[in-house]
Amino acid sequence: MSNTPKDMNGAESVVRSLHSAGVDVCFANPGTSEMQFVDALDRTKLMHCVLGLFEGVVTGAADGYARMAGKPAVTLLHLAPGFANAAANLHNARKARVPMVNLVGDHALRHQKYDAPLSADVTGACEPFSDWVKSGTDAGSFARDAMEALAVAKGAPNRIATLIAPADIGWDEGGKLAKEAPSTAPAALDEGALTDAVRALESGDRTIIIAGNSVLEDAGALALLQGIADKTGADIIAPTSNRRMERGQGRVPLAKIPYPINMALEVLAPYSRAILVEAVPPVAFFAYPDRPSLLLPEDCDTVSLCGHDGDGPAALAALADRIGAAAAKPSDTAMPARPQSGAITLKNIAAALSNALPEDAIIIDESVSAGGDIFPAGDAARPNSWLALTGGSIGIGIPLSAGAAIACPDRPVITLQADGSAMYTIQGLWTQAREGSNVTTIILANRAYEILKGELHNVGAQPGPDALSMLNLDRPHLDFVAMAKGMGVPGRRVEDVTDLMQAIEDAAREPGPFLIEAML
């Protein structure tokens, strides 16, 4: 904290204190009530400031950054309406259990009683999408509040912390620096649960281990998980939605519970015992007529070895030690043959991606209805980090990739993006262009909300033309190449699978963003 001025306002004290604790990126869409933070960020030059043209881009990018950097960024949002725009991707971030600190401006304390046009219940707006909410009260304690927010965000499990910033405590003098507060450590392993897990594995019953979160991000933990499965005959699987998976050649391939409820029930039906590691009992995304909400069989004996607040890799190490298992040496998933010329279909797209994805790529998967067909590509491809939609609130792919690219500027980012959900946050392409990020966005253009057509049938509907017209993206067709060009991102449309592979390979080698509209 050298060269720190003796007299500073509340906003500067927050910026300097957060930076001293390791926060060095701010994703922002500020308004009038946040101008003192804009000024403080400019004067201190302590953070990389990234502008999003929509608040949902800001929070989605902060999510992607946290998943890859392993630490929180700070977001800067404008009052309750701005937070409302940000909330959908905050929902996803909260379900992903990533660390994030939000600074949400509010009217000056003396102005709040007058019900100005942008007045609203900021605390009420923030609470459903945050794990911790507090409103600052004065310049002198403002940085201490920010350090409390940071400690909450970084504690186990990671959380969303939102600090409301009335304008006057930001511009008032008297700001004081604050030291980083301790964060909550992971919960200790429950020895009783460990014994129960060993008993399940040694029972001879059909057993499945469902492992999520940090286990999936740790290649060593995945190898140990496979070793436990090899030793005991148990099966292993990941939850349906995961913030990050380390995948590709040389790593343990791990299937995930399918999204479609009938497929999920079929996959889990054989098991009479389940062991959860940083996971909860799997639940269907929605309720359907004549289908259960919980996906494991009713009589399945379930053991929670380690909750979301625990240390999954450490729990697996303890379990392996108890049963005498060693880490497995993964055998590479065979690379499929490179598809020959022809239309891009759900049958050949996984093989095309497996061959075309560059080494050490970060894959952002918001492919939605194509997701089940595309997912196998991650195991057969070169080593990669696979980030996916977690909370089901669509419109995260393009912002998530922007944040991941900020966290890892030397790694290529490939976004597998459904066309319908792309339109929620298409503005994120502009942020990619402004930052010069090496992001290749592949729009999977089936010109429909295809997944919802299946959901219509799942609830027993027999859709007619009026129902289907609400699910088709036509009249007019969307032109993603033209939209990308308007935001400074070059692009091309492809209809042949060999052209798709070549376009991915070319784009990943070139600096800066590129968009490929792949016609399915």
Side-chain angles (χ1 to χ4, degrees):
M1 296 185 187
S2 59
N3 301 319
T4 301
K6 293 182 179 179
D7 297 319
M8 59 182 159
N9 62 22
E12 185 171 342
S13 72
V14 168
V15 170
R16 289 187 177 277
S17 296
L18 285 172
H19 177 264
S20 72
V23 179
D24 50 18
V25 177
C26 176
F27 295 96
N29 186 278
T32 301
S33 55
E34 295 78 48
M35 286 300 101
Q36 57 278 5
F37 279 101
V38 172
D39 178 59
L41 289 163
D42 176 59
R43 283 186 290 104
T44 61
K45 302 291 192 293
L46 293 176
M47 294 190 188
H48 178 188
C49 300
V50 181
L51 178 62
L53 298 184
F54 173 67
E55 294 90 339
V57 171
V58 169
T59 50
D63 182 356
Y65 174 87
R67 296 193 201 194
M68 295 309 303
K71 65 177 185 178
V74 63
T75 73
L76 188 58
L77 304 168
H78 183 48
L79 299 168
F83 186 90
N85 286 338
N89 275 333
L90 273 176
H91 167 78
N92 288 324
R94 193 175 183 218
K95 293 292 186 179
R97 291 175 174 80
V98 300
M100 191 185 304
V101 175
N102 303 305
L103 290 175
V104 182
D106 198 1
H107 288 297
L109 293 172
R110 62 176 171 80
H111 196 63
Q112 291 179 9
K113 63 184 177 181
Y114 296 111
D115 194 26
L118 273 170
S119 293
D121 182 358
V122 181
T123 299
C126 296
E127 283 181 338
F129 302 95
S130 308
D131 298 293
W132 176 96
V133 179
K134 187 174 184 178
S135 185
T137 56
D138 63 84
S141 62
F142 202 9
R144 188 169 68 247
D145 293 337
M147 290 298 97
E148 184 182 354
L150 182 62
V152 169
K154 293 170 66 174
N158 296 322
R159 294 179 173 90
I160 307 299
T162 300
L163 177 59
I164 299 169
D168 46 354
I169 71 170
W171 70 54
D172 282 349
E173 292 185 357
K176 297 178 182 179
L177 298 177
K179 295 182 179 180
E180 184 173 6
S183 297
T184 305
L189 180 62
D190 183 334
E191 290 294 329
L194 178 59
T195 297
D196 289 342
V198 172
R199 186 177 297 115
L201 292 170
E202 294 178 344
S203 67
D205 296 332
R206 191 79 184 271
T207 302
I208 190 166
I209 304 173
I210 304 174
N213 284 358
S214 62
V215 173
L216 307 179
E217 301 166 348
D218 185 327
L222 285 170
L224 203 54
L225 179 64
Q226 183 65 62
I228 292 169
D230 293 343
K231 175 77 173 181
T232 64
D235 293 321
I236 56 178
I237 200 166
T240 304
S241 304
N242 301 287
R243 68 186 178 207
R244 177 177 171 182
M245 299 178 73
E246 291 302 301
R247 308 183 69 199
Q249 299 289 327
R251 295 169 178 169
V252 171
L254 192 62
K256 64 178 183 177
I257 298 170
Y259 168 86
I261 186 168
N262 289 341
M263 293 176 63
L265 291 170
E266 181 180 357
V267 165
L268 297 175
Y271 299 101
S272 56
R273 293 181 182 265
I275 300 170
L276 309 177
V277 185
E278 285 195 52
V280 297
V283 61
F285 261 66
F286 303 101
Y288 300 98
D290 304 319
R291 296 290 185 276
S293 292
L294 295 175
L295 299 177
L296 286 167
E298 281 189 30
D299 58 352
C300 183
D301 184 7
T302 302
V303 176
S304 179
L305 175 63
C306 173
H308 286 306
D309 61 347
D311 185 335
L316 286 176
L319 181 59
D321 183 66
R322 284 280 296 269
I323 64 174
K329 293 183 179 180
S331 56
D332 286 343
T333 301
M335 178 78 74
R338 192 176 180 92
Q340 301 303 305
S341 180
I344 303 167
T345 68
L346 294 180
K347 290 184 178 181
N348 64 20
I349 194 167
L353 291 170
S354 297
N355 281 273
L357 293 177
E359 185 168 1
D360 207 28
I362 300 169
I363 312 302
I364 309 297
D365 180 5
E366 195 182 18
S367 50
V368 190
S369 59
D373 296 281
I374 285 175
F375 185 75
D379 289 329
R382 299 167 186 87
N384 62 84
S385 298
W386 193 280
L387 281 57
L389 173 66
T390 46
S393 181
I394 61 174
I396 198 173
I398 293 172
L400 201 68
S401 62
I406 296 295
C408 302
D410 297 328
R411 296 179 63 177
V413 180
I414 312 292
T415 309
L416 307 173
Q417 180 63 61
D419 51 358
S421 54
M423 292 304 299
Y424 283 51
T425 48
I426 193 75
Q427 308 94 322
L429 293 174
W430 182 89
T431 298
Q432 296 174 13
R434 187 180 226 221
E435 295 294 321
S437 300
N438 184 11
V439 179
T440 302
T441 301
I442 304 170
I443 301 293
L444 303 165
N446 59 17
R447 293 178 171 169
Y449 292 122
E450 194 65 35
I451 198 165
L452 295 182
K453 293 181 181 179
E455 298 290 25
L456 266 177
H457 292 286
N458 283 341
V459 298
Q462 300 298 321
D466 288 344
L468 293 176
S469 73
M470 290 189 283
L471 306 180
N472 288 327
L473 305 179
D474 56 6
R475 306 195 322 268
H477 290 303
L478 298 166
D479 187 339
F480 283 94
V481 174
M483 285 187 277
K485 181 180 179 181
M487 285 179 275
V489 177
R492 60 177 291 200
R493 180 178 295 168
V494 297
E495 299 184 11
D496 185 274
V497 69
T498 56
D499 291 342
L500 171 62
M501 290 185 289
Q502 190 63 55
I504 295 170
E505 292 163 349
D506 292 345
R509 283 194 295 265
E510 294 295 325
F514 193 84
L515 181 139
I516 302 166
E517 187 173 8
M519 307 306 296
L520 295 178

